Amino acid sequence: MSAGSKSAAVVDAAELPALRRRITPVLIAGQILGGLGVATGVALAAVLAQHVSGSEALAGLASTAMVAGTAVLSVPLAALMNARGRRPGLVLAYVIGAIGAGVVVLAAVLGNYPLLLLGLAGFGAASSANLQSRFAAADLAEPERRARAISFVVWATTIGAVLGPNIAAPAGRSAARLGIPETAGPFLWAGGVFLVSAVVIALLLRPDPLLTARALAPAGEDTKEGRSLRAGVRAVRASPPAQLAFTTIAVAHTAMVSIMSMTPVALSHHGAGIELIGLVISGHIAGMYAFSPVMGWLADRLGRLSVIGLAVGLLACAALLAGTAGASHGRTAAGLFLLGLGWSAGLVSGSALLTDSVPGPARAAVQGLSDLTMSAAAGIGGIAAGLIVSRASYGWLNMVGACLLLPLAALAVYRALSRARGGEDATASAGGPAVRKDTPAVVPDPAGSATAAD
């Protein structure tokens, strides 16, 4: 047993409520700082890429590089968490993000575009840490409160996402005094924020939530073989609810990124200024994060599948409104707000269902694979979105986004019908509460984790 496991094993099940109350604020603090750093850098990423490359076309690769970095680093970070726990994985992700930010600043000073893309890919590791933090919140949560635990950490991103773009300008001006291009200043500041995040997690996320959950699992349930990435793939293949959760997270994220990324272009084509575009995107971000606790409460009370259905409905309405808005900026803003709400419903309910649906040992691997899938799909969606708008229109992009929802809707309906035929699941014989038809049967362990039985 590793040193981390030994330190986790001393936690008694009776201490779990106090431990949850202590760990959640640490994760929220890390999420606020991490979100602040990411949002500060992202605010001027495309502008910096255009400045360094001298090409408006190449500027679009800035976001693609960050998304690619998030996707590529998700699996090795998940493997590290599997082996050592959440704390080392999150700390390393923030440190890589800080190094990436430093490389971005260096590339800006040298005017080196390939180096800039490399730095932006490393910068994406911080986004991977922010994504993985929501699963850390679920490690010790009670099954009936798991979605709410995830949603509170997602909600914390609101603060950083709102403050970050507003800090970008003064951060740029302060860096200019050091001889650094003003558009690179936010990355210098973001790198420092990521290092603070790493220190907060390293010092305060103790005991490690994942190691604690494993230490309190029933004897013989947790094995090294069961934690491997291969075991994670097997766990998803064996669990229809996990497959639905996987699809929900990937589709919701891809639809959101694809439509959102081209909305500023569509607005500018219809005469919107920078201030109005910023206001529309701010409303979208509020929809993404501010209402996530509501989505968590609904997912715990009504069931994961019900909120997945809500996500499909919201995303479809968003595509309809934005895609038919034309010169109506108010209609576009309403569509983008609903797009954020739909993303929030899909991410929170899908993440909770994914955690519910696979055995405890395989969870970290499955969660890492899910983040890899959602980031890769969103990266492809972002590239495709630009091509669709350039060759057709923003309306066609929204139609394609709505079509992406059809397989998810079909899978959710099939899952609902399967549950209805199977009747009400209950785990009373295993000492757990009855489970709704639209959530997988789970057997809570003393750590508040669950083993799926589909």
Side-chain angles (χ1 to χ4, degrees):
M1 184 180 289
S2 68
S5 297
K6 288 179 182 177
S7 64
V10 301
V11 176
D12 187 83
E15 299 175 291
L16 281 176
L19 180 58
R20 294 184 189 110
R21 289 193 296 270
R22 187 165 74 249
I23 283 177
T24 299
V26 176
L27 291 171
I28 288 175
Q31 192 78 343
I32 291 173
L33 290 169
L36 181 61
V38 169
T40 303
V42 167
L44 290 177
V47 178
L48 175 60
Q50 182 177 356
H51 172 77
V52 173
S53 67
S55 167
E56 187 173 314
L58 292 177
L61 290 178
S63 60
T64 302
M66 285 188 285
V67 171
T70 302
V72 170
L73 290 167
S74 294
V75 171
L77 288 172
L80 176 61
M81 292 182 194
N82 253 332
R84 303 284 183 177
R86 299 288 185 191
R87 186 171 62 250
L90 293 176
V91 169
L92 179 61
Y94 282 127
V95 170
I96 293 175
I99 294 172
V103 172
V104 168
V105 174
L106 177 62
V109 173
L110 298 177
N112 189 318
Y113 182 70
L115 185 63
L116 175 69
L117 294 182
L118 180 63
L120 289 171
F123 187 85
S127 294
S128 187
N130 288 349
L131 289 170
Q132 286 289 321
S133 290
R134 76 189 192 277
F135 290 124
D139 286 332
L140 295 176
E142 300 139 302
E144 66 272 14
R145 297 182 62 86
R146 188 169 283 146
R148 275 169 282 188
I150 291 171
S151 69
F152 282 126
V153 174
V154 173
W155 171 86
T157 312
T158 309
I159 300 174
V162 171
L163 290 179
N166 295 300
I167 292 174
R173 288 193 293 269
S174 64
R177 301 190 190 103
L178 303 175
I180 296 171
E182 189 169 331
T183 49
F187 286 92
L188 180 65
W189 197 90
V193 173
F194 293 155
L195 291 178
V196 174
S197 302
V199 170
V200 168
I201 297 297
L203 295 180
L204 301 180
L205 194 64
R206 297 175 182 273
D208 189 283
L210 180 59
L211 297 182
T212 301
R214 286 175 174 171
L216 292 171
E221 178 183 294
D222 187 28
T223 63
K224 288 186 178 180
E225 292 76 13
R227 302 177 196 167
S228 67
L229 292 176
R230 189 171 297 176
V233 173
R234 287 198 301 268
V236 174
R237 286 178 177 172
S239 172
Q243 294 164 18
L244 173 60
F246 235 76
T247 306
T248 299
I249 295 169
V251 169
H253 194 59
T254 302
M256 184 277 292
V257 169
S258 301
I259 295 173
M260 180 272 295
S261 64
M262 297 308 298
T263 298
V265 176
L267 286 169
S268 66
H269 285 168
H270 289 287
I274 294 176
E275 293 80 5
L276 179 57
I277 292 173
L279 195 60
V280 171
I281 297 301
S282 293
H284 169 69
I285 292 172
M288 288 176 64
Y289 299 116
F291 296 90
S292 55
V294 176
M295 300 304 176
W297 180 81
L298 289 173
D300 283 336
R301 292 298 300 271
L302 303 180
R304 321 302 194 218
L305 189 54
S306 298
V307 180
I308 289 174
L310 175 63
V312 171
L314 288 170
L315 291 170
C317 288
L320 176 64
L321 280 173
T324 58
S328 174
H329 301 325
R331 189 164 180 165
T332 302
L336 264 287
F337 177 73
L338 289 180
L339 186 72
L341 278 183
W343 176 88
S344 179
L347 184 75
V348 171
S349 59
S351 299
L353 180 60
L354 188 67
T355 305
D356 292 340
S357 304
V358 295
R363 279 188 192 143
V366 169
Q367 291 158 352
L369 290 170
S370 175
D371 284 351
L372 166 65
T373 303
M374 69 180 280
S375 297
I380 295 170
I383 296 172
L387 294 174
I388 292 170
V389 170
S390 64
R391 301 195 173 205
S393 68
Y394 179 67
W396 274 101
L397 172 62
N398 280 272
M399 181 178 290
V400 172
C403 289
L404 287 177
L405 302 172
L406 295 177
L408 173 58
L411 189 58
V413 169
Y414 176 79
R415 184 67 197 147
L417 293 175
S418 297
R419 280 298 182 190
R421 288 195 299 267
E424 191 77 16
D425 288 323
T427 57
S429 60
V435 180
R436 297 181 183 277
K437 291 180 182 180
D438 55 343
T439 56
V442 291
V443 181
D445 65 30
S449 351
T451 300
D454 192 3

